[in-house]
């Protein structure tokens, strides 16, 4: 209790120094907290984008059921593929019809379904999308592979840069906070040097 009493007396007697120290430390800790929250949000946003990213593999129109199974097993065997879902052209037609009435009108007007059977793929590592896409393109029976190439790489690159910047800022602010606290203690001791002596 005596220590607490003396500490409170010291704060009152050296109010300007105490106030400056408290404000500096508070502001720095708030900045650290904001930076940590920003880092967590960037990580979360990156994870959400990675979860939503898919590769759509369109198959040639003349592929047989047996070829579709072979393509599926070949795609599934690739190390970066997490999940393989087959979507027939009829499923695509139904999905597009539900999405927009104009699509429904156009598709119903046509005698034959112009869409293609496809596989919707989820990957383990989004940074290897291009490499995975090239592997799938080479499979016999695959017509085209789409995953938003170009734009996806840019988004991932931007998120990586932001993550690195935020980590550096957090580390820098923690160092600054430690330095401020250390200096506050030194200044307090220096201001009371005569009493201590």
């Amino acid at each position: 209790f005596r220590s607490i009493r003396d500490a409170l007396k010291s704060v009152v007697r050296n109010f300007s120094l105490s106030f400056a120290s408290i404000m500096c430390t508070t502001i720095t800790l708030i900045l650290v907290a904001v930076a940590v929250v920003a880092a967590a949000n960037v990580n979360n946003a990156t994870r959400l984008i990675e979860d939503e990213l898919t590769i759509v593999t369109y198959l040639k129109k003349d592929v047989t059921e047996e070829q579709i199974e072979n393509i599926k097993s070949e795609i599934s065997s690739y190390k970066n593929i997490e999940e393989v879902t087959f979507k027939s052209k009829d499923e695509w037609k139904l999905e597009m019809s539900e999405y927009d009435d104009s699509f429904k009108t156009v598709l119903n007007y046509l005698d034959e379904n112009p869409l293609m059977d496809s596989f919707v793929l989820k990957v383990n590592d989004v940074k290897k999308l291009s490499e995975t896409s090239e592997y799938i393109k080479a499979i016999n029976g695959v017509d085209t592979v789409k995953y938003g190439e170009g734009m996806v790489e840019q988004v991932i690159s931007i998120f990586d840069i932001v993550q690195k910047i935020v980590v550096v800022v957090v580390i820098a602010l923690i160092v600054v906070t430690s330095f401020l606290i250390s200096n506050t203690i030194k200044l307090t001791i220096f201001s009371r040097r005569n009493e201590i002596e």
Side-chain angles (χ1 to χ4, degrees), residues 2-3 5-15 17-18 184-197:
R2 190 176 65 183
S3 299
R5 186 196 64 200
D6 289 346
L8 289 170
K9 279 182 183 177
S10 180
V11 168
V12 173
R13 284 172 187 166
N14 303 283
F15 184 75
L17 181 64
S18 301
T184 302
I185 293 164
K186 284 177 185 175
L187 280 169
T188 308
I189 292 168
F190 185 76
S191 69
R192 304 288 293 276
R193 65 190 182 281
N194 293 331
E195 290 176 52
I196 293 166
E197 189 183 349

Side-chain angles (χ1 to χ4, degrees), residues 7-178:
L8 289 170
K9 279 182 183 177
S10 180
V11 168
V12 173
R13 284 172 187 166
N14 303 283
F15 184 75
S16 57
L17 181 64
S18 301
F19 182 75
S21 303
I22 291 164
M23 288 306 295
C24 283
T25 308
T26 303
I27 289 164
T28 315
L29 288 172
I30 288 168
L31 289 172
V32 169
V34 168
V36 168
V37 169
N41 280 324
V42 168
N43 283 332
N44 192 42
T46 308
R47 207 175 298 112
L48 285 171
I49 287 171
E50 287 176 359
D51 290 342
E52 291 298 318
L53 276 176
T54 54
I55 297 175
V56 182
T57 304
Y58 295 101
L59 307 177
K60 289 177 180 174
K61 292 206 171 188
D62 57 351
V63 290
T64 62
E65 291 291 326
E66 189 183 346
Q67 281 180 303
I68 289 170
E69 285 302 314
N70 290 337
I71 293 165
K72 185 177 181 179
S73 62
E74 203 168 335
I75 291 170
S76 300
S77 66
Y78 191 68
K79 59 187 175 183
N80 196 37
I81 300 295
E82 184 186 335
E83 188 183 318
V84 181
T85 308
F86 177 73
K87 284 185 85 169
S88 68
K89 57 186 179 181
D90 294 324
E91 286 177 295
W92 279 117
K93 183 180 178 180
L94 182 66
E95 193 175 302
M96 289 177 78
S97 298
E98 288 173 352
Y99 179 73
D100 194 297
D101 287 336
S102 57
F103 281 137
K104 187 177 182 179
T105 307
V106 171
L107 291 168
N108 288 337
Y109 178 78
L110 298 167
D111 295 328
E112 190 181 338
N113 188 349
L115 304 171
M116 292 185 281
D117 294 328
S118 65
F119 286 108
V120 178
L121 318 172
K122 281 195 173 185
V123 296
N124 294 312
D125 186 359
V126 292
K127 290 174 184 174
K128 293 180 181 176
L129 274 174
S130 180
E131 182 188 311
T132 307
S133 171
E134 290 302 317
Y135 170 81
I136 295 164
K137 277 180 190 173
I139 297 171
N140 187 32
V142 171
D143 185 71
T144 51
V145 178
K146 297 286 178 188
Y147 64 91
E149 51 272 28
M151 187 185 74
V152 169
E153 281 90 346
Q154 282 183 342
V155 169
I156 291 165
S157 175
I158 288 164
F159 272 119
D160 277 347
I161 291 163
V162 170
Q163 266 182 312
K164 284 170 186 170
I165 289 168
V166 168
V167 167
V168 169
V169 168
V170 169
I171 291 167
L173 285 171
I174 288 167
V175 170
V176 168
T177 306
S178 304

